Amino acid sequence: MDDLEALGAALPQIWQGLGITLLLTVCGALLAFVLAVGLGLGARAQNVIVRGASRVVIEFFRGTSLVVQLFFLFFVMPQLGLKLPAILCGIIGLGLNYGAYGAEVVRGSINSVPAGQWEASTALSLTRTQRMWRVIFPQAWALMIPSLNNLLIQLLKGTAIVGFITLFDLTVALDKLRIATDTFFFGAVGMVLYFAIAYVLTLAMNALEVRAKHRLGRGESLRDALRFRAPVTKGRTAA
Amino acid sequence: MNDGLQWSWETAWEALPTLLEGFFTVTLVVTVAGSAIAVVLGLVIAMVRRVAPRPIAGIVTFFVNFIRMTPIVVQLMFAYFFFLSFDALTIGIAVFGIHYATYMAEVYRAGIDAVPRGQWEAATALSLSRGRTWGAVILPQAIRATVPALGNYVISMLKDTPFLIAITVSDMVSNALEFGGDHFRYLEPITLAGIIFLVASYPASVLIRRLEKRLEYAS
């Protein structure tokens, strides 16, 4: 019962930490998504400079550990004359790192749209932009959601390190709880909370996937979205 | 302290030994030992989920999902305070090994699923035992196809090692921070830490991509 009392006492802190974790996850994911689409399209541009620049940015942010990037933003940028609030450092760091990973997902998914779709849309004399946004991207979108979901979960888990740059997130709140209770209890509460958030995100992404497939005429009922595993698409041949 | 604007080769040169020391004594050690555990344990998990009776496989699946969906930092903290009698580095290696084993298990599963049905039928037709079927026919094919994906996880483990700061293990990045704090200059040590990660992981990722392409053509 002592544990529960301590949990009750720590609840406001946990609530506050949860808020920071969710804020970082949502804003980080939005930034990452915008970057992923931009860099992913850039990495398959015809212009060599655009393509090269995208590749360099992608490899740079994939190659140099998220922790290093966060520390760079938080510790080095002020010395270079740009002091950002910690929360902004967190969002930018997460967004850049996972955006670079996402770019590879976007690029890979666009590449795996069958070549016939490009040819067909050319035959209909759609412009380049129309081909991408009306024909290719919607199909690639359905392909990329499961991988983006994995990245989103990783981003959520990545937020657990922002304590190092003075942000009071869920992990820090849990560490405070540990001092008041025993280790097993804090661990259990912490992991269940993170698990619950990840589960909700997965359900949301599964729903998004069902919707994306439905729009392509490979419809399934939304009931399948409530399953834990990614929905199975039957009949890829369905018109 | 206000002259932090300029990159100083002198400071960089001074910071390099402590960074490299952290890299070789912790970052690399945890990555190598952790990968060794993950590669083996991942295969065990994948096999258990496939051949064990349903309730056991179900329990394993639950734990795998649980570990995959919770942050490694929280797991590190939990293990560190729960197993106080072990030293932090051992705990770090164990947690990294187990965490990544759950990812690698999925890779193995996909690899096993990708072995054509005909191979199973052929093994049955030759009346090979269950052990021989797995050991001599299925696994060699399954594992060869999984090498690139396993390599990717090894690289991401390398880049996750700074999380060890949470359990007071000083790896390369915490050495960089400490150096920065002592000298009031963070630019050089942190930039160098990033460059060392890049130097360690980029060639590996290029190699993996090449391997992936070759395996694609082979199959």
Side-chain angles (χ1 to χ4, degrees), chain B residues 25-75:
Chain B
T25 58
V26 176
T27 305
L28 205 60
V29 170
V30 173
T31 308
V32 171
S35 320
I37 295 175
V39 164
V40 176
L41 187 62
L43 185 59
V44 172
I45 293 173
M47 292 289 290
V48 166
R49 285 178 66 177
R50 197 157 166 130
V51 299
R54 214 170 239 183
I56 296 175
I59 292 168
V60 171
T61 304
F62 174 77
F63 275 105
V64 164
N65 280 328
F66 199 76
I67 292 174
R68 282 161 60 89
M69 286 202 174
T70 50
I72 196 163
V73 176
V74 179
Q75 290 165 11

Side-chain angles (χ1 to χ4, degrees), chain B:
Chain B
M1 281 135 262
N2 283 331
D3 62 353
L5 282 167
Q6 284 260 308
W7 174 268
S8 145
W9 284 107
E10 209 178 316
T11 315
W13 199 238
E14 208 183 318
L16 197 58
T18 170
L19 291 183
L20 288 179
E21 195 229 293
F23 181 79
F24 285 112
T25 58
V26 176
T27 305
L28 205 60
V29 170
V30 173
T31 308
V32 171
S35 320
I37 295 175
V39 164
V40 176
L41 187 62
L43 185 59
V44 172
I45 293 173
M47 292 289 290
V48 166
R49 285 178 66 177
R50 197 157 166 130
V51 299
R54 214 170 239 183
I56 296 175
I59 292 168
V60 171
T61 304
F62 174 77
F63 275 105
V64 164
N65 280 328
F66 199 76
I67 292 174
R68 282 161 60 89
M69 286 202 174
T70 50
I72 196 163
V73 176
V74 179
Q75 290 165 11
L76 280 170
M77 280 162 46
F78 178 68
Y80 178 63
F81 293 112
F82 200 66
F83 301 102
L84 272 175
S85 50
F86 291 90
D87 82 314
L89 186 65
T90 313
I91 293 203
I93 291 171
V95 170
F96 269 88
I98 294 171
H99 190 87
Y100 275 91
T102 60
Y103 288 96
M104 291 192 180
E106 290 293 302
V107 175
Y108 284 120
R109 189 179 62 138
I112 293 170
D113 286 345
V115 175
R117 275 183 58 95
Q119 298 290 324
W120 289 96
E121 289 157 11
T124 312
L126 292 168
S127 57
L128 296 183
S129 70
R130 212 175 146 95
R132 290 266 292 159
T133 304
W134 277 101
V137 180
I138 305 303
L139 286 182
Q141 297 183 66
I143 289 175
R144 200 174 41 195
T146 56
V147 170
L150 295 183
N152 280 333
Y153 281 121
V154 172
I155 295 177
S156 55
M157 198 186 305
L158 174 78
K159 281 174 294 186
D160 277 358
T161 47
F163 294 168
L164 289 166
I165 300 174
I167 56 168
T168 69
V169 176
S170 355
D171 77 320
M172 174 172 67
V173 176
S174 42
N175 282 1
L177 266 196
E178 200 183 324
F179 183 93
D182 289 349
H183 294 72
F184 302 103
R185 287 187 70 102
Y186 288 102
L187 173 63
E188 292 86 2
I190 292 181
T191 310
L192 271 183
I195 291 172
I196 293 175
F197 272 122
L198 203 58
V199 167
S201 67
Y202 185 66
S205 76
V206 170
L207 211 70
I208 289 168
R209 240 195 329 243
R210 224 172 263 173
L211 199 65
E212 227 161 314
K213 275 220 178 94
R214 190 184 297 174
L215 287 169
E216 240 169 62
Y217 291 143
S219 60

Side-chain angles (χ1 to χ4, degrees), chain A residues 92-108:
Chain A
I92 295 174
L94 289 161
L96 284 171
N97 191 274
Y98 290 100
Y101 280 98
E104 287 293 89
V105 172
V106 171
R107 190 179 63 87

Side-chain angles (χ1 to χ4, degrees), chain A residues 164-185:
Chain A
F164 301 147
I165 58 166
T166 71
L167 283 173
F168 193 94
D169 77 322
L170 182 54
T171 301
V172 179
L174 291 166
D175 199 34
K176 293 267 189 305
L177 176 65
R178 176 183 61 79
I179 295 159
T181 65
D182 68 284
T183 307
F184 189 77
F185 187 73

